[in-house]
Amino acid sequence: MNAPLHRELPATVLDSAAALARVNDQWDRDIVRQLTDYIAIPAKSPGFDPDWARHGYIETVLRNAAAWVEEQKVAGLKLEVVRLPGRTPVIFFEVEGTKPGATQTVLMYGHLDKQPEFNGWRSDLGPWTPKYEDGKLYGRGGADDGYAVYASIAAVQALKAQGTPHARIVGLIETCEESGSYDLLPYVDALRPRLGDVGLVICLDSGAGNYDQLWLTTSLRGMASGTLKVEVLTEGVHSGDASGLVPSSFRIMRQVLDRLEDSATGRLLPASFHCEMPAERLEQAKATAAILGDEIYKRFPWAHYDCGGSIQTALPTTTDPVQALVNRTWTPTLSVTGAEGFPALQDAGNVLRPYTAFKLSLRLPPLVDAAASVQELKALLEDNAPYQARVTFEPSSAATGWNAPAIDPWFGQALEAASLAHFGAPVGYIGQGGTIPLMNMLSQGFPTAQMMVCGVLGPRSNAHGPNEFLHVPYAKRLTAAVAEVVARLP
């Protein structure tokens, strides 16, 4: 069932109003400016910028963030940039604990690498041209999730400002998350002796159902991605001469994808790509649906057009709020995120193309093993190709999803207190359709740790797409809420 609302909250351990006031001032005075500079740097993840080391953008945002953290002169904080040969670097910081008898560690996580540009940005906006407007900081990466390291340190400073005792805190900020975090596990292994006994993980890379309360992420889907390519010719030929005899690579692509997906419904056909949704998660989805209602699907920028004087709008797969939440959090789904082999429309002549290639992104339910899914996907797509065409699937990344552990009483109480103190509303529980590979790694490595997975990606924030923004008022309150929860770690 949904975590209960804790009406009898523990005694106040932090002056919430003072903490929020301090956080607000720091964001307005400093952090927004830091993130404005960060957005302007095209620090694309290595999966999208193979020459990342030569370009130096990742190095720049990493050094800028590290320098800012050190400039804060947080008592008891030590920071280093850790580098392993051939891998993207990470920031690792430690803050000495001040709470008597506390033996566990708080681990704060974020990342500084970004998704690529994408198109469709508003004429006065762009991925690397930050703009602050009506409390929203537009540009790529601010919300996903360059703000995390700055918010984490600001939360620690809020504790220090009041002399509030706290457990030992460590931070791990990576630069490979948007590529599937393939560089992260070696760092976790190398740093494991220094991580300590992690009792609370704070990950600020997730989403929010609205901007009115604190949202705890309860699950994340996994992902398997790769490039599917269909080749029938060595070069393009005149379509008038060859069509009808030479099979279209696009038609073969459609046939191959029909093995994977029912195109009428979007349902993935292999049974192994599905899993049963736990009863607790379904009950939480019902509670969240009651809070958000039709905003669950109305928040997306649906295409609309004039049809004989009436406005028609594209429709979602379902308008039932509960089913909508289930579909985007526990249902496997295929997306085609890129294509190759097609000329631009203005350059498209009467030529039968030699090949078609699609970038596939397969979101998997939280409990489905991604590595096994990749192997099954490859066999399913490649075997017995129509017309003996050359069909290949080259996997690019895979990450198993995550289902949150049971909530300890202290953690449920701390979340509720933080949400009530800084938002005036109870905490909400929501699954997310995205993937954060670290969470599954940490759950396996620290099975008893509580997971505060949350973030600022609320309605219309549009991470990875055009007009991405960071909702600054929400980020301020989330920062203060983090301080509140850390202060309550037993």
Side-chain angles (χ1 to χ4, degrees):
M1 293 183 65
N2 195 4
L5 301 183
H6 300 275
R7 298 305 179 189
E8 296 183 7
L9 299 175
T12 300
V13 294
L14 191 69
D15 184 331
S16 301
L20 182 58
R22 190 189 195 287
V23 164
N24 283 340
D25 175 69
Q26 188 169 16
W27 269 88
D28 291 338
R29 175 175 40 83
D30 190 13
I31 296 178
V32 170
R33 178 171 53 84
Q34 296 294 329
L35 292 175
T36 299
D37 293 342
Y38 164 78
I39 287 171
I41 301 169
K44 287 185 284 189
S45 198
F48 306 103
D49 181 8
D51 291 331
W52 63 269
R54 181 173 61 86
H55 290 153
Y57 299 126
I58 282 180
E59 182 70 18
T60 299
V61 296
L62 186 90
R63 286 188 175 278
N64 288 349
W68 181 86
V69 171
E70 292 182 318
E71 288 169 0
Q72 305 311 300
K73 301 189 183 306
V74 176
L77 184 145
K78 298 177 182 178
L79 176 147
E80 68 177 288
V81 175
V82 185
R83 304 177 191 273
L84 294 177
R87 299 192 181 277
T88 50
V90 303
I91 292 173
F92 181 74
F93 64 80
E94 304 176 68
V95 183
E96 296 174 355
T98 60
K99 179 176 287 187
T103 60
Q104 292 190 307
T105 295
V106 177
L107 171 58
M108 293 178 158
Y109 166 83
H111 68 86
L112 290 165
D113 56 311
K114 308 180 186 184
Q115 283 278 321
E117 294 87 342
F118 206 72
N119 53 19
W121 289 77
R122 211 172 72 190
S123 61
D124 61 328
L125 301 175
W128 323 123
T129 53
K131 184 174 184 177
Y132 192 33
E133 176 183 274
D134 297 329
K136 301 179 181 69
L137 180 57
Y138 288 90
R140 178 68 79 233
D144 184 24
D145 74 339
Y147 83 100
V149 61
Y150 299 95
S152 295
I153 294 300
V156 174
Q157 289 176 291
L159 295 171
K160 294 290 190 182
Q162 295 187 30
T164 303
H166 60 80
R168 176 176 177 264
I169 299 169
V170 300
L172 183 60
I173 310 299
E174 67 161 318
T175 55
C176 188
E177 195 275 342
E178 299 293 3
S179 301
S181 292
Y182 55 75
D183 281 344
L184 184 59
L185 187 56
Y187 282 107
V188 172
D189 289 340
L191 294 168
R192 192 177 299 276
R194 299 170 62 182
L195 294 178
D197 178 16
V198 177
L200 173 64
V201 174
I202 298 174
C203 171
L204 299 180
D205 189 26
S206 193
N210 56 30
Y211 299 114
D212 302 322
Q213 60 204 108
L214 177 63
W215 287 93
L216 182 74
T217 297
T218 56
S219 65
L220 296 158
R221 284 192 293 189
M223 185 183 70
S225 67
T227 300
L228 176 62
K229 188 173 185 179
V230 176
E231 299 174 83
V232 294
L233 298 168
T234 58
E235 60 185 16
V237 296
H238 193 310
S239 61
D241 182 38
S243 62
L245 180 59
V246 176
S248 163
S249 62
F250 184 75
R251 181 164 64 86
I252 296 173
M253 175 71 78
R254 289 160 58 194
Q255 289 179 264
V256 171
L257 289 177
D258 281 345
R259 302 172 180 180
L260 174 63
E261 178 194 50
D262 180 342
S263 61
T265 65
R267 178 176 174 80
L268 293 192
L269 299 176
S272 60
F273 290 177
H274 297 258
C275 75
E276 184 176 354
M277 184 178 184
E280 178 186 22
R281 298 293 175 244
L282 181 57
E283 289 302 311
Q284 289 172 338
K286 291 177 181 178
T288 297
I291 296 171
L292 301 179
D294 58 10
E295 180 60 22
I296 294 169
Y297 60 86
K298 285 188 174 180
R299 66 191 181 94
F300 296 104
W302 298 101
H304 53 274
Y305 55 94
D306 191 326
C307 183
S310 64
I311 301 299
Q312 297 288 333
T313 302
L315 298 173
T317 57
T318 179
T319 56
D320 176 76
V322 175
Q323 191 60 50
L325 287 171
V326 172
N327 284 4
R328 64 177 288 273
T329 58
W330 282 86
T331 300
T333 306
L334 174 68
S335 298
V336 175
T337 61
E340 191 178 84
F342 296 85
L345 290 177
Q346 64 268 25
D347 300 326
N350 295 320
V351 177
L352 190 67
R353 298 175 300 101
Y355 75 94
T356 296
F358 282 174
K359 179 68 177 291
L360 305 184
S361 175
L362 179 63
R363 294 292 176 174
L364 298 165
L367 302 179
V368 172
D369 181 77
S373 296
V374 167
Q375 294 307 309
E376 182 175 352
L377 185 61
K378 184 174 178 66
L380 179 72
L381 297 174
E382 290 185 346
D383 290 354
N384 301 312
Y387 303 101
Q388 296 188 117
R390 185 169 188 258
V391 176
T392 57
F393 178 72
E394 294 298 330
S396 57
S397 64
T400 299
W402 172 77
N403 188 38
I407 295 177
D408 284 349
W410 80 264
F411 187 46
Q413 292 174 348
L415 291 169
E416 187 73 4
S419 191
L420 290 172
H422 297 292
F423 295 93
V427 64
Y429 297 85
I430 191 169
Q432 294 293 344
T435 307
I436 307 176
L438 175 73
M439 296 316 302
N440 195 48
M441 298 178 196
L442 291 177
S443 286
Q444 293 176 2
F446 304 100
T448 62
Q450 294 294 283
M451 303 288 179
M452 185 178 179
V453 183
C454 47
V456 297
L457 296 171
R460 298 175 179 83
S461 57
N462 214 26
H464 302 189
N467 308 326
E468 177 183 332
F469 67 75
L470 167 66
H471 193 288
V472 173
Y474 189 80
K476 293 174 178 178
R477 294 181 181 276
L478 177 58
T479 302
V482 167
E484 194 89 32
V485 172
V486 172
R488 293 176 182 271
L489 177 68

